[in-house]
Amino acid sequence: MRKPWIVGVAGAVLAALLLGACGDPESAPGEAPPSAAAPDTSPTTRQRASTASPGTEADAENDADADADADNDADGAKPAPKVLYLGDSLAMENQDVLGKFLKDDLDARYTSAPYGGTTLCDYLEGTADRSLVPAQDKAAALVRRLSPDYVVLQFWGNAWDYTPCMDGVTYGKARAEYFRRYTAAAEQLTDQIANAGGTHRPTIVWVLQGPDPMTPDRVRRVNALYEKQARASGDMVADAGRAVSPAADRYAWTQYLPCTAYEREHDGYCTQPGRARTALHHDKDYLHFCLAPTTSKPRPCPVLSPGITRMARAITRAIADRAS
């Protein structure tokens, strides 16, 4: 029996997928939504400073960072980590909150370069002619430019008919080939990031995703793929998806969860009746975690959203544990 909430939001689900450029319905639309057809190539202010051309202010900032690292090493203190965050529309909406937690908790230097609607192969060098990510923001290009300590990858597993680098292979139409291509992209992306890092190879942080009510087995297998890749290359995972899942079932989708101690201690989180529950999803968007309505142009979430906070804290904790 189909659950009532699925029936009630069926139209809204499709709209959210089209506008947010995430997910993979059984039948992809005939054309790309605005966010995928013309992705925003204007990075955030922090990103713009970090990805400027050689000889600009970014180089001066990088030189200052290097001097600060040398000073920290001389004092015996561990230098603040440099973190690069890449991903799709989920990362796009998370990026400001994650940056704040990393800065507040780890004094991290942080750069984000997510693009809505993307998948792993979009960040591979050699795919510029059929990718939603421009050449200067490919993962390896950013690693060479920024020399991060951690590269955080948060990808839902997008594979629409119009995701160019997937060549039309989708979970709904060719599942075996979808996972073969996705596995190959994960291996290639790991190799490109490692090679770009050279003697300063960054640790890759694969972010495990939350429940998918439409295709629950897909996200389970995508997460298993990330875990396998992390083990094979000596990298790590951050199980942010568990933070937005019921304690009794890691892969059961829900719109609300009981408030955590953190949420009870901070205003604006426990907003459901009796202040016992917190909302993870907007009523018209089962996939994204921003409680503001989905827009055609992916953006950092403009409102306090418990699901985003939960995931950002989980990623920050994972990096803190590794760095300690």
Side-chain angles (χ1 to χ4, degrees):
M1 178 178 177
R2 186 178 294 271
K3 295 182 179 181
W5 62 264
I6 294 181
V7 176
V9 300
V13 164
L14 180 57
L17 291 171
L18 292 174
L19 294 174
C22 257
D24 189 10
E26 292 296 323
S27 299
E31 61 181 5
S35 57
D40 180 13
T41 56
S42 300
T44 63
T45 301
R46 183 184 297 271
Q47 177 188 340
R48 192 157 35 238
S50 301
T51 60
S53 301
T56 64
E57 181 182 353
D59 289 311
E61 290 179 356
N62 289 336
D63 289 342
D65 289 344
D67 291 341
D69 285 348
D71 290 341
N72 285 333
D73 290 340
D75 295 338
K78 207 161 190 177
K82 290 188 285 187
V83 180
L84 173 62
Y85 184 41
L86 309 176
D88 53 27
S89 59
L90 292 178
M92 176 70 76
E93 67 181 15
N94 293 352
Q95 61 183 315
D96 287 355
V97 177
L98 177 60
K100 183 178 187 306
F101 277 115
L102 288 169
K103 176 65 176 175
D104 290 349
D105 293 1
L106 304 177
D107 196 29
R109 279 163 287 160
Y110 171 76
T111 304
S112 59
Y115 286 84
T118 54
T119 194
L120 295 177
C121 59
D122 283 295
Y123 279 88
L124 289 171
E125 290 191 320
T127 61
D129 60 332
R130 53 193 182 92
S131 170
L132 302 177
V133 176
Q136 69 270 19
D137 285 346
K138 298 295 188 181
L142 290 172
V143 169
R144 285 192 292 269
R145 190 177 309 141
L146 301 171
S147 191
D149 301 300
Y150 297 91
V151 178
V152 180
L153 302 176
Q154 181 161 10
F155 291 91
W156 181 253
N158 290 323
W160 299 79
D161 283 341
Y162 52 75
T163 304
C165 64
M166 286 294 285
D167 297 320
V169 175
T170 69
Y171 175 83
K173 293 183 178 180
R175 297 186 183 186
E177 179 63 8
Y178 165 83
F179 285 112
R180 188 195 70 77
R181 293 283 294 264
Y182 209 72
T183 300
E187 293 171 351
Q188 287 180 270
L189 194 56
T190 297
D191 289 343
Q192 289 191 3
I193 290 171
N195 291 335
T199 58
H200 184 70
R201 183 203 188 279
T203 297
I204 299 171
V205 183
W206 293 95
V207 179
L208 304 187
Q209 301 304 293
D212 178 350
M214 301 279 290
T215 54
D217 185 59
R218 184 200 61 79
V219 77
R220 189 191 303 268
R221 292 182 63 182
V222 165
N223 283 346
L225 185 159
Y226 292 160
E227 292 177 300
K228 181 179 180 181
Q229 182 59 47
R231 287 193 300 270
S233 56
D235 290 302
M236 58 181 287
V237 297
D239 195 356
R242 183 174 295 279
V244 291
S245 306
D249 189 343
R250 168 63 176 80
Y251 288 99
W253 186 94
T254 182
Q255 187 174 2
Y256 305 100
L257 281 177
C259 292
T260 63
Y262 177 92
E263 289 161 351
R264 289 192 295 271
E265 293 168 3
H266 293 77
D267 292 337
Y269 288 95
C270 298
T271 57
Q272 295 305 301
R275 296 179 61 83
R277 296 193 307 166
T278 192
L280 301 179
H281 300 277
H282 188 278
D283 289 343
K284 295 183 178 180
D285 186 347
Y286 83 98
L287 177 57
H288 298 89
F289 293 89
C290 183
L291 296 185
T294 304
T295 60
S296 59
K297 182 178 180 181
R299 58 179 177 169
C301 185
V303 300
L304 186 153
S305 299
I308 289 176
T309 299
R310 287 179 176 221
M311 289 189 292
R313 293 186 72 221
I315 295 168
T316 301
R317 281 195 300 269
I319 293 175
D321 289 345
R322 182 70 169 238
S324 62

